[in-house]
Amino acid sequence: MAATNGAETETGPNQVWNPRLALLVAATFFMEFLDGTVLTTAIPSIAADLRVPAADVNITMTAYLMTVAMGIPFSGWLAERMGARRVFCMAIALFTLASLACALSTDLTVLTLSRVLQGAGGAMMVPVGTLVVLRGTPKSELLRATAFLVWPALLAPVLAPLVGGALTTYLSWHWIFLINLPLGIAAFIAALRLVPTGSGDRHRRLDWPGLILTSAGVGALVVGLELATAHPAGPSGAISAVAGAAALTAAVLWMKRARMPLFDLTVFSTRTFRAMATGGFVYRLTITSVPFLLPLMFQAGFGWSPLHAGIMVAAVFVGNIGIKPATTPLIRRFGFRAMLVFGSLASAATFAVCALLTPDTPEVLMFALLVCSGAFRSIGFSAYASVQYADIAPAQLTSANTVSATLVQLAAGAGIAVGALLIRIFDGVGAFPADPAGPYRGAFLTMAVLMLFSTADSLALHRQAGAAVSRPGQEPAEEQPPPPPASGRVQPR
């Protein structure tokens, strides 16, 4: 069922680590991640300028996120068919031109359509950019490569409110998009120089049933998660999510029997990749909920101002970035399994402690706790980003990369939706009477328990899992062939 993916047409037999290429791809990721959330602070200004209710502007964010999620499955096939270099450059150009269209929009309809085009560019930039880096990086340097690719996801959430607020306050909301023009032009020129050329596979056919079912399923899940967060009392979110899950189930059943499936699902037979889809999905879901739950608890539970809460939440991202130079040495020293177990257990502990915070807790201790939480978050992100590709064969790289990008997108949306659901549940049952922060305490404790599922999954990994990446040159003991018996006879095991 697996088709060849043409990776060999775009890389030579000798892979060479190119940090400039990884940095270029990371910069395009940063643009895409930033534009996913930067509009939040600009919504009132956009609404006033376009003369629409502020709540209606949310459609531009939903349209963008949905387009990114739905476009990722198609981008993998397109990279195989046209060549990753061509598609990556095309993605940068589309994202940049769509940003200009967003800035020039005079009504909500045009802005929303422009955001859809921007999302289409983003859907190709992220997975295809990752593919470009992975194909050119030997496994011995994979940890260094993923260290570059992880930082935009860690840094963008903290900069989005600051960038959006500053540009909207001192210039106008249009500059949120106009700033992408010089960045996009520079990235396009750099991509032409740095990304290896390749013709792709012109004979690669598109699995239309698989694409339609997968895209519809992912889109319905994203919309369902957005509706569950924005309108928790209505049934529309649950209906959309169930429909999405049904479509994805049908897609899997189809691709298992298709001659040239959209994805090579045998990637899930690789244990280190499957860890990303099991424990890694839970890990990302719970971690993503923290920046959502913390400001709400600080404002609604403690009575803090938005600025006060925002400054405290920034501690999480201080820990993210501060620990980054140490993540690769730590993984090389202790291995993937140990660091995944440590990262998830330590994160669960910080969630539980967050549930014990009160308005009287010294803010210095709060800040230190959240810095530690951010550091543990960064360790887990980096470990999962690398271990998932440690044992993937080159012919499976495109499928593994596309599946991973899709699941990451879904886990991020699920984290916010589950967090909102837990707040509503604990608020309804009155588990913490006379405590305004009670529902958030219950949510943090539940997230701590959920994180333990990630710990259990990591414990099930072999001690030498991903050793080809974490400790290049050191083969796992169980993979060494046993010495032949002296007598020449097969010895019983």
Side-chain angles (χ1 to χ4, degrees):
M1 61 176 281
T4 60
N5 70 359
E8 62 278 5
T9 66
E10 301 205 27
T11 59
N14 298 318
Q15 295 174 307
V16 179
W17 159 239
N18 188 345
R20 292 187 299 168
L21 176 59
L23 186 60
L24 165 66
V25 173
T28 61
F29 287 9
F30 185 75
M31 286 198 302
E32 193 276 324
F33 291 143
L34 194 68
D35 275 50
T37 54
V38 73
L39 277 191
T40 303
T41 52
I43 283 178
S45 297
I46 296 174
D49 197 21
L50 301 183
R51 297 181 178 85
V52 295
D56 291 354
V57 181
N58 285 327
I59 186 64
T60 63
M61 295 183 62
T62 302
Y64 177 85
L65 295 173
M66 184 178 70
T67 306
V68 170
M70 293 181 67
I72 288 174
F74 179 68
S75 69
W77 173 84
L78 196 64
E80 290 185 354
R81 178 67 183 245
M82 297 179 60
R85 179 179 187 267
R86 185 177 301 172
V87 175
F88 185 60
C89 291
M90 182 173 65
I92 296 174
L94 179 59
F95 188 89
T96 305
L97 292 173
S99 297
L100 177 60
C102 289
L104 299 177
S105 299
T106 56
D107 59 59
L108 186 60
T109 301
V110 175
L111 178 59
T112 303
L113 292 175
S114 300
R115 287 284 279 174
V116 169
L117 288 177
Q118 197 182 35
M124 292 185 289
M125 277 201 309
V126 172
V128 177
T130 303
L131 185 63
V132 166
V133 174
L134 293 177
R135 282 181 175 175
T137 303
K139 287 191 176 182
S140 61
E141 298 292 347
L142 188 58
L143 272 175
R144 293 177 63 191
T146 53
F148 279 78
L149 301 181
V150 166
W151 71 260
L154 299 174
L155 193 59
V158 69
L159 285 186
L162 299 177
V163 172
L167 292 176
T168 303
T169 300
Y170 297 107
L171 295 172
S172 71
W173 64 266
H174 305 83
W175 283 92
I176 290 176
F177 303 108
L178 290 175
I179 198 174
N180 287 331
L181 300 186
L183 297 176
I185 292 171
F188 184 83
I189 295 172
L192 291 176
R193 298 185 60 182
L194 296 176
V195 179
T197 58
S199 59
D201 181 6
R202 295 290 182 180
H203 302 290
R204 174 69 172 168
R205 294 183 179 180
L206 180 59
D207 175 17
W208 282 103
L211 176 65
I212 293 172
L213 288 171
T214 302
S215 298
V218 171
L221 274 179
V222 171
V223 171
L225 294 172
E226 288 286 316
L227 290 174
T229 304
H231 307 286
S236 55
I239 293 173
S240 181
V242 170
L248 288 179
T249 301
V252 170
L253 295 175
W254 164 262
M255 284 186 278
K256 282 184 174 180
R257 57 186 294 270
R259 293 183 59 188
M260 295 189 69
L262 184 65
F263 303 134
D264 179 6
L265 296 181
T266 60
V267 293
F268 287 104
S269 64
T270 303
R271 180 64 181 92
T272 46
F273 179 81
R274 196 164 65 248
M276 175 279 305
T278 51
F281 187 89
V282 175
Y283 183 87
R284 287 183 179 273
L285 184 154
T286 53
I287 286 295
T288 304
S289 70
V290 174
F292 171 75
L293 292 173
L294 277 175
L296 289 178
M297 184 173 77
F298 289 152
Q299 293 177 68
F302 293 2
W304 289 6
S305 68
L307 178 60
H308 191 180
I311 292 173
M312 186 61 70
V313 174
V316 174
F317 304 102
V318 170
N320 287 167
I321 304 304
I323 195 67
K324 205 72 199 75
T327 53
T328 295
L330 284 171
I331 293 172
R332 290 204 187 280
R333 172 65 179 84
F334 297 104
F336 281 113
R337 189 181 76 160
M339 296 316 299
L340 287 172
V341 170
F342 170 76
S344 57
L345 272 179
S347 295
T350 60
F351 295 169
V353 176
C354 283
L356 303 178
L357 296 177
T358 69
D360 297 325
T361 303
E363 293 190 14
V364 173
L365 294 181
M366 285 191 196
F367 197 89
L369 169 67
L370 298 184
V371 167
C372 291
S373 179
F376 303 145
R377 163 193 174 108
S378 185
I379 290 172
F381 263 69
S382 298
Y384 275 118
S386 300
V387 75
Q388 63 183 336
Y389 300 116
D391 304 312
I392 291 294
Q396 295 179 309
L397 193 55
T398 299
S399 291
N401 177 58
T402 309
V403 170
S404 172
T406 302
L407 290 176
V408 165
Q409 195 78 14
L410 291 177
I416 296 175
V418 171
L421 175 64
L422 290 173
I423 293 172
R424 189 168 79 252
I425 290 174
F426 284 103
D427 188 39
V429 300
F432 301 87
D435 182 2
Y440 307 98
R441 302 186 194 284
F444 271 114
L445 289 173
T446 304
M447 287 298 179
V449 173
L450 282 176
M451 181 60 85
L452 296 180
F453 285 94
S454 177
T455 305
D457 185 73
S458 298
L459 284 170
L461 288 170
H462 190 273
R463 184 172 57 88
Q464 297 287 351
V469 170
S470 62
R471 297 171 183 176
Q474 300 181 24
E475 295 296 329
E478 76 278 5
E479 293 183 3
Q480 298 292 341
S487 63
R489 293 178 298 173
V490 177
Q491 300 296 318
R493 296 185 178 182

